Amino acid sequence: MSSVPLLPPPDDDPLLAGLNPQQREAVLYRGQSLLIVAGAGSGKTSVLTRRIAGLLKWREAWPSQILAITFTNKAAAEMRERVRALVGDESDGMWISTFHSACVRILRRQAEAMGMKQSFTIYDTADSRALMKRIIKELDADTIGFTVGGALGRISRLKNELTDVDGFARNANMSDPKEAVLLEIFRQYTAALRRANALDFDDIIAETVYLFRAFPEVAALYQRRFRHVLVDEYQDTNHAQYALVRELTRAPVAVPGQSAFDGASLTVVGDSDQSIYAFRGADIRNIVEFERDFPNSKVILLEQNYRSTQNILDAANSVIANNFDRKAKNLFTVVGSGDKIIGYTGYSGHDEAQFVADEIEKLRDAGSSYNDIAVFVRTNSQTRPLEEIFIRSAIPYRIPGGTKFYERAEVKDAFGYLIQVANPDDDLALRRIMNVPKRGIGPATEAAMQAMAERQGVPLREVLRDAASLGLGPKVTAAITDLGELLDEVAATVATAAPHDILTALLTRSGLHAALKNSGDPQDEARAENLEELVSQAKEFRVQNPEGTLVDFLTNVALFSAADEIDDHDGSVSIMTLHTAKGLEYDSVFLTGLEEDLLPHRMSVNETGGIAEERRLFYVGITRARKRLFVSLATSRASFGDVAVSMPSRYLAEIPGELIEWRDSGGSGFRSGFRGVRAAPMRESYGQLPPAPRQKTEWTTPITAKVRDNGDLTLAVGDRIRHTDFGEGRVSAVTGVGPKTVAEVQFETAGRKRLLVKIAPIEKL
DNA sequence: CCGATGCCGTACATG
DNA sequence: ACGGCATCGG
């Protein structure tokens, strides 16, 4: 493939329409390696899609020669659609996916070469933890200070650095007993995964690199195939991902009699100011040293911002300027200064949440859609007060990544069955379901089975087929045999049956669904519904992927991420962590919990580079906003059951004061510190003080934790009510039906509020 | 083997 | 505050 376009695109080619000179160059540049430094909101997705579309449209590449790596599955799907919109069916056959999805695809194809079966299981964090727990217990490693999380963290870092067990054995300091034990833990963990025909998340990348290095002819298949490799969010790649990119873009080994291939062209897009994944091994040097790593590379800087107002950009610029070891970059826009940033200091997380809810309602009244509003938090625990207030205020919301649907016990149980059908070597999955639903196989029985499996060197599943040899009672023997038969019979259908049919068969025949359905416990009823929901999801998967096998379904679920859950059109406000927010944008953004110990997080302040990394997180949050930015904090916050005083985040003081309009005490957020608790006047709309004077403790958590139920309370326009926080008011409108009935109430002191009648802490007067 | 009780760690971010 | 899980009694 020539490095010059075969047919130079005409200047008026619609693919180039509306691009600024730098963007245009980023679309058209042809060479071995290109770094696009894309500031926040600089139109990089547009550039990336047009670059790919150009390669196709101008006949420089076939779709199958393109590999584009995005940060999320959702971003991949969107990029695919956008390229398709530009060039149509010509785009079929491209690989656009995340690192993990691309690697799993390669590994399943090449499973034999790497000594695994095609049906390998992908362990999620909980699976890895369960396995590690057994190993640490077995080795008594907890007595010398090993924890499950600690050991997994060490191993994860080793894998991200492409250090395998042998490599670690060579380099570890064996005179240190802890290192020696860690080696043994690493060895056993690796062996257990192998035996189970399973990989953890880190293995997915590392094993692909090992595969390519061990089998140059396998690597060459992909090196010849992919002529253009593009990587988005390059600042958040770790060493293993970097090595993978190097392998993919290396010139393939020459094959006698065949023409030689150059290495593929590489385009990376990123912004070191948005690097926020150091904790999982992301190495900012990958992007900072790109020019050194890839000689003769071209660097194009995109600084014009098409997303935010100048006020928002000014705030972002002045915050990030405090990170000293960065290349100067200044975002600018031509849209004008826009609204000021709104600041609010609340008394508690609930007070802060009430501010957010009230502002959201104002935005809504002014014509905003809930979809265009997002609330960002640093930690997942911050979502709780927001949820409580949103429910009470009848604000529809979603928490991408917060549902944890796939982490529910009953859902994991269902997956235990599915995995055992797909991958009988996976002992962990079998142990999970051995006695679920209860079938009389207790720990003692399980230990006997485990011992037999180990004696014979077979997977636990084999023992199910020969239960009689265990010499146990007739009842338990029959239970074991039945389970084995169930799994074997369903497994026999796996080649032809759709995932949802396999799932239904397992749920029905195991009695798992019926056990929950018939238990009489309302919580079990909800669990049964979750299983039904899972069946629906499996059906939906089959609709989206008519050829999708059970293994495909399991892969899909394993690699499903928080950001993939975001639905831009479902009419709800999104509450998410700052990490999940990366790459997204909203008209209105609420940055909450801007407090010391939260942002920067207390765990980060002692880490090298921690303060700078947290500042980037703040920067990412600010730059998500298009038109309106709200920053808020609370002077006290509940954690672990009690309440702690909190101080404003140091980063707030890095925003020029004139850009922020504080809605509370009138001072800056920085000065309003915890002195402000007493100094601030109790504003009618946000202060939680009800009409009568109250004790100090009562303004911290005015919300009843348990959900109220007003039953069939009905309200009509004109009714007078009393609310525990807002006082007395008059109903001005009623909308919605049944449990979703919403009353709009004009309170005497607290202003107008929308309340979900069923659960609001109100009484009719 | 199963359910009840009480204690302990949890919660920094994620594929 | 809450759930997971270890320990105990039935």
Side-chain angles (χ1 to χ4, degrees):
Chain A
M1 204 63 58
S2 165
S3 63
V4 181
L6 301 179
L7 292 173
D11 274 349
D12 60 350
D13 192 302
L15 267 190
L16 303 174
L19 297 179
N20 69 33
Q22 293 76 27
Q23 291 176 323
R24 183 188 164 91
E25 190 182 16
V27 171
L28 292 178
Y29 177 79
R30 295 296 182 268
Q32 202 57 29
S33 42
L34 168 64
L35 164 61
I36 303 171
V37 176
S42 60
K44 64 159 192 185
T45 308
S46 180
V47 164
L48 212 41
T49 52
R50 292 186 203 211
R51 185 171 168 83
I52 294 169
L55 290 169
L56 300 174
K57 182 172 180 182
W58 304 319
R59 302 284 176 206
E60 295 170 70
W62 298 109
S64 61
Q65 294 176 319
I66 288 174
L67 170 66
I69 301 292
T70 59
F71 204 69
T72 64
N73 298 299
K74 181 162 180 273
E78 280 170 7
M79 185 172 292
R80 179 180 302 283
E81 273 318 298
R82 288 176 68 162
V83 173
R84 175 185 288 275
L86 291 169
V87 299
D89 293 345
E90 296 233 27
S91 63
D92 289 358
M94 294 180 297
W95 277 34
I96 301 185
S97 71
T98 63
F99 271 113
H100 286 85
S101 295
C103 288
V104 167
R105 203 164 159 183
I106 291 168
L107 291 175
R108 290 216 193 273
R109 287 185 181 194
Q110 313 297 334
E112 225 167 286
M114 64 159 200
M116 296 187 75
K117 296 180 193 164
Q118 181 271 335
S119 57
F120 62 78
T121 310
I122 299 165
Y123 276 13
D124 66 17
T125 312
D127 299 327
S128 295
R129 290 188 68 92
L131 176 56
M132 182 57 74
K133 201 173 163 187
R134 287 180 67 89
I135 291 170
I136 287 185
K137 204 169 180 181
E138 187 105 345
L139 294 172
D140 265 330
D142 52 336
T143 57
I144 58 165
F146 278 99
T147 61
V148 171
L152 283 172
R154 284 291 304 272
I155 290 174
S156 175
R157 260 170 283 151
L158 289 168
K159 288 180 177 183
N160 287 334
E161 290 297 321
L162 295 175
T163 304
D164 61 6
V165 174
D166 291 341
F168 183 60
R170 279 194 299 276
N171 296 320
N173 172 17
M174 283 309 127
S175 58
D176 179 347
K178 278 202 75 172
E179 289 292 281
V181 173
L182 181 64
L183 172 62
E184 187 53 26
I185 291 173
F186 192 8
R187 197 189 296 281
Q188 292 204 12
Y189 179 74
T190 305
L193 281 165
R194 277 275 149 181
R195 266 201 312 276
N197 189 33
L199 298 175
D200 68 18
F201 283 131
D202 300 315
D203 287 332
I204 290 171
I205 312 293
E207 289 293 330
T208 309
V209 175
Y210 297 151
L211 174 78
F212 284 173
R213 289 184 178 171
F215 302 95
E217 70 282 6
V218 171
L221 293 174
Y222 297 94
Q223 288 157 344
R224 285 194 295 266
R225 172 182 174 143
F226 297 126
R227 306 313 304 151
H228 300 274
V229 175
L230 304 96
V231 183
D232 196 6
E233 307 285 7
Y234 190 68
Q235 76 281 356
D236 279 323
T237 49
N238 61 32
H239 178 73
Q241 291 165 331
Y242 165 80
L244 180 71
V245 169
R246 288 230 78 132
E247 293 300 328
L248 281 167
T249 56
R250 195 185 290 285
V253 287
V255 179
Q258 280 189 27
S259 56
F261 274 77
D262 290 338
S265 88
L266 173 65
T267 303
V268 305
V269 188
D271 175 5
S272 43
D273 289 336
Q274 295 183 63
S275 168
I276 55 172
Y277 278 98
F279 73 91
R280 65 174 201 205
D283 191 343
I284 201 164
R285 284 176 308 180
N286 289 346
I287 191 162
V288 174
E289 296 174 11
F290 183 82
E291 292 171 80
R292 204 207 60 196
D293 283 340
F294 297 89
N296 302 320
S297 55
K298 169 88 174 170
V299 179
I300 296 173
L301 194 61
L302 306 180
E303 285 181 299
Q304 181 164 358
N305 177 291
Y306 297 92
R307 177 184 298 156
S308 311
T309 65
Q310 191 64 50
N311 276 349
I312 291 168
L313 295 183
D314 285 347
N317 283 331
S318 49
V319 166
I320 202 67
N322 291 283
N323 277 1
F324 52 92
D325 57 346
R326 62 186 277 276
K327 279 188 199 165
K329 171 154 44 72
N330 227 27
L331 299 177
F332 68 96
T333 179
V334 295
V335 302
S337 53
D339 294 349
K340 282 203 174 184
I341 298 165
I342 306 291
Y344 178 72
T345 305
Y347 304 106
S348 64
H350 278 108
D351 186 19
E352 179 189 36
Q354 187 64 57
F355 161 76
V356 172
D358 289 345
E359 291 300 320
I360 287 174
E361 284 308 297
K362 283 187 208 163
L363 291 169
R364 171 98 166 144
D365 290 345
S368 284
S369 155
Y370 288 130
N371 282 317
D372 298 326
I373 303 169
V375 184
F376 298 156
V377 294
R378 175 65 178 84
T379 70
N380 285 308
S381 61
Q382 286 170 254
T383 60
R384 194 176 278 193
L386 288 164
E387 277 191 86
E388 286 171 13
I389 298 290
F390 281 21
I391 289 171
R392 284 183 14 179
S393 308
I395 295 173
Y397 69 91
R398 270 177 182 271
I399 305 183
T403 64
K404 310 270 186 223
F405 179 76
Y406 296 109
E407 291 169 28
R408 305 274 181 108
E410 66 278 12
V411 175
K412 291 227 76 163
D413 292 339
F415 275 98
Y417 280 95
L418 288 172
I419 289 168
Q420 260 297 307
V421 165
N423 176 20
D425 296 330
D426 192 338
D427 287 5
L428 192 74
L430 181 51
R431 275 198 297 268
R432 177 164 192 111
I433 59 170
M434 191 90 80
N435 201 28
V436 180
K438 298 263 186 284
R439 47 171 74 89
I441 309 177
T445 309
E446 190 193 305
M449 294 170 70
Q450 184 73 36
M452 180 159 148
E454 272 164 32
R455 257 196 326 273
Q456 302 182 359
V458 296
L460 204 50
R461 173 74 167 272
E462 278 294 323
V463 177
L464 302 185
R465 298 176 180 133
D466 186 22
S469 306
L470 287 161
L472 300 165
K475 223 170 161 179
V476 71
T477 303
I480 295 168
T481 305
D482 284 353
L483 176 60
E485 282 173 0
L486 161 65
L487 293 172
D488 286 343
E489 283 168 31
V490 176
T493 70
V494 79
T496 50
H500 61 267
D501 290 328
I502 296 171
L503 179 58
T504 305
L506 288 167
L507 293 180
T508 311
R509 294 189 46 191
S510 69
L512 183 61
H513 182 252
L516 293 171
K517 192 101 186 159
N518 304 329
S519 87
D521 181 341
Q523 290 207 321
D524 282 342
E525 177 62 33
R527 294 187 180 108
E529 282 167 16
N530 284 336
L531 294 180
E532 289 153 26
E533 166 64 19
L534 185 60
V535 174
S536 308
Q537 289 190 19
K539 270 186 193 157
E540 176 60 22
F541 169 80
R542 186 68 164 194
V543 172
Q544 300 297 326
N545 310 272
E547 307 287 309
T549 64
L550 174 59
V551 168
D552 295 332
F553 177 62
L554 293 172
T555 304
N556 211 272
V557 170
L559 299 183
F560 189 76
S561 75
D564 298 333
E565 268 181 66
I566 295 164
D567 180 338
D568 313 319
H569 304 289
D570 69 348
S572 57
V573 173
S574 292
I575 305 173
M576 68 186 87
T577 65
L578 286 163
H579 284 90
T580 304
K582 189 174 79 155
L584 306 175
E585 56 180 275
Y586 294 88
D587 282 352
S588 303
V589 164
F590 291 83
L591 288 177
T592 66
L594 297 179
E595 298 148 32
E596 288 293 302
D597 291 349
L598 217 41
L599 191 79
H601 194 272
R602 73 167 67 229
M603 306 295 287
S604 72
V605 293
N606 293 320
E607 290 164 14
T608 27
I611 297 294
E613 171 109 347
E614 298 282 303
R615 184 177 284 113
R616 288 193 291 270
L617 208 41
F618 187 39
Y619 176 78
V620 165
I622 293 171
T623 54
R624 301 306 94 199
R626 291 194 197 105
K627 299 176 184 160
R628 283 167 296 268
L629 179 64
F630 299 81
V631 294
S632 62
L633 60 150
T635 51
S636 70
R637 196 168 286 276
S639 79
F640 294 126
D642 45 24
V643 177
V645 169
S646 43
M647 296 291 289
S649 167
R650 66 191 75 185
Y651 303 133
L652 277 173
E654 297 173 359
I655 299 177
E658 68 271 18
L659 296 179
I660 308 186
E661 180 187 320
W662 288 94
R663 285 279 179 82
D664 52 347
S665 56
S668 79
F670 200 69
R671 275 187 290 120
S672 63
F674 77 90
R675 264 184 335 115
V677 172
R678 262 151 285 153
M682 304 302 180
R683 285 181 38 102
E684 291 174 347
S685 38
Y686 305 128
Q688 292 298 329
L689 284 195
R694 285 222 183 170
Q695 300 293 313
K696 173 177 171 257
T697 49
E698 279 173 326
W699 28 271
T700 53
T701 325
I703 311 302
T704 334
K706 64 171 192 278
V707 175
R708 286 174 59 104
D709 190 342
N710 292 327
D712 53 358
L713 174 72
T714 52
L715 293 176
V717 173
D719 284 349
R720 289 197 56 79
I721 61 153
R722 181 185 291 119
H723 187 284
T724 55
D725 299 327
F726 304 141
E728 292 186 16
R730 182 182 157 279
V731 176
S732 54
V734 178
T735 51
V737 290
K740 297 202 168 155
T741 307
V742 171
E744 191 177 281
V745 183
Q746 183 67 44
F747 287 99
E748 284 158 17
T749 54
R752 191 163 55 87
K753 305 276 180 190
R754 282 159 45 84
L755 305 169
L756 199 56
V757 174
K758 189 169 169 59
I759 54 145
I762 53 175
E763 58 178 324
K764 207 165 165 177
L765 299 176

